[in-house]
Amino acid sequence: MKSRMFNALKMDSQAKKPIVQNSRLRLMSTKASRPRRIKRKIVLMENVNKADGLSLAITSKLKRGRRLHMDAFTGVKNLKLPKTFDDQEELKTKEIINVAHHIQLRMKVINGNVEVVGARKVDGGFVKESKLHLNEGLVYEITKGRRRLQFGVIPDFGEERGFPSPNPKNEAEKGHAVSQLKEFDFNVRVLPNDLSLATLKAVKVNLYRAKSAISSIKVTDVSLEKQFAGKLRKMASMQRITITKLPKALQNNFKKALK
């Protein structure tokens, strides 16, 4: 169905021709509209009363041939501004290491075991995590020997959620349906100098689930499992990467990523 609305011009600098969506409608005139008669008389608003069948506000300032204008806005009265302002604080951002690329490992969790299923180079800088902050979910930690390479929070933490039924048949259908996935994937990021084909056998990946919220706590050199013993629970792990036992395609991906 065609619209019968008229689009009025907003500025004089726009096109001179008005935009009309329906050409059969008459254009709006630029002439001032003539006053309408009320009971065959032309009267001002201040002379209209309830007997005329209208409930208009009476004002004595309305005069024939003049327009009413709103008084200029003078601002909020008695507004007290502070004489001095506190110095601005520098926005604290995560540490970004300027490298041409970093290594991304694609991990898969299956029944409590972590497997590596992909490896590639990713262009751009590397964000070095230093604080742990999460309300719920998972966090990974990748180490080589006793040295931590990186840790990070996994936003999509292996849960499947369903909306409640609009017409529930029992109590179980009234709430959200939450179920743990038997397998899911996540990414691990490391610096290119921290990995090589020869040191892959020393790489270990642990996956933890949050038992309670952790609010921007600086991570120490000890493992996450020890530092957050009461707040994190280990749910899956991978002890080493043996490249000779990987599929040929994945071996080639590692060679391209780590060369």
Side-chain angles (χ1 to χ4, degrees), residues 38-96:
I38 301 178
K39 288 190 175 182
R40 299 182 180 179
K41 296 180 181 180
I42 298 177
V43 295
L44 299 177
M45 290 180 63
E46 60 185 357
N47 297 327
V48 177
N49 51 41
K50 293 183 178 180
D52 297 319
L54 301 173
S55 58
L56 301 178
I58 299 176
T59 173
S60 59
K61 296 183 179 180
L62 186 61
K63 295 182 180 180
R64 189 189 301 269
R66 293 188 179 182
R67 295 182 179 179
L68 293 182
H69 297 275
M70 181 183 291
D71 294 335
F73 180 71
T74 57
V76 182
K77 296 181 180 179
N78 301 325
L79 180 62
K80 296 181 180 180
L81 298 175
K83 295 181 179 180
T84 58
F85 296 91
D86 297 334
D87 295 335
Q88 292 183 342
E89 296 183 359
E90 183 180 357
L91 181 63
K92 296 180 180 179
T93 58
K94 297 179 180 179
E95 180 186 357
I96 300 178

Side-chain angles (χ1 to χ4, degrees), residues 93-102 122-130 147-150 189-194:
T93 58
K94 297 179 180 179
E95 180 186 357
I96 300 178
I97 300 177
N98 187 18
V99 290
H101 67 273
H102 61 272
V122 178
D123 295 334
F126 182 82
V127 178
K128 186 70 173 179
E129 301 288 352
S130 59
R147 176 169 167 257
R148 181 191 299 115
L149 303 182
Q150 176 74 319
R189 296 173 292 110
V190 292
L191 285 168
N193 295 334
D194 288 339

Side-chain angles (χ1 to χ4, degrees), residues 131-135 212-218 228 231:
K131 292 184 178 181
L132 182 58
H133 177 85
L134 76 161
N135 293 321
S212 59
I214 300 175
S215 180
S216 297
I217 298 179
K218 189 173 180 59
F228 304 98
K231 296 186 176 182

Side-chain angles (χ1 to χ4, degrees), residues 189-204:
R189 296 173 292 110
V190 292
L191 285 168
N193 295 334
D194 288 339
L195 281 185
S196 66
L197 294 175
T199 60
L200 281 177
K201 58 185 178 182
V203 171
K204 183 179 180 179

Side-chain angles (χ1 to χ4, degrees), residues 96-128:
I96 300 178
I97 300 177
N98 187 18
V99 290
H101 67 273
H102 61 272
I103 308 301
Q104 183 186 83
L105 303 180
R106 185 72 170 172
M107 317 301 295
K108 181 180 287 292
V109 180
I110 304 177
N111 296 325
N113 295 319
V114 180
E115 299 178 1
V116 58
V117 294
R120 62 169 185 159
K121 289 182 180 179
V122 178
D123 295 334
F126 182 82
V127 178
K128 186 70 173 179

Side-chain angles (χ1 to χ4, degrees), residues 9 16 25 27 34 39 47 51 94 97 145 192 229 244 249 259:
L9 294 177
K16 298 300 181 181
L25 295 178
L27 299 179
R34 294 184 299 175
K39 288 190 175 182
N47 297 327
K94 297 179 180 179
I97 300 177
T244 56
K259 67 178 181 178

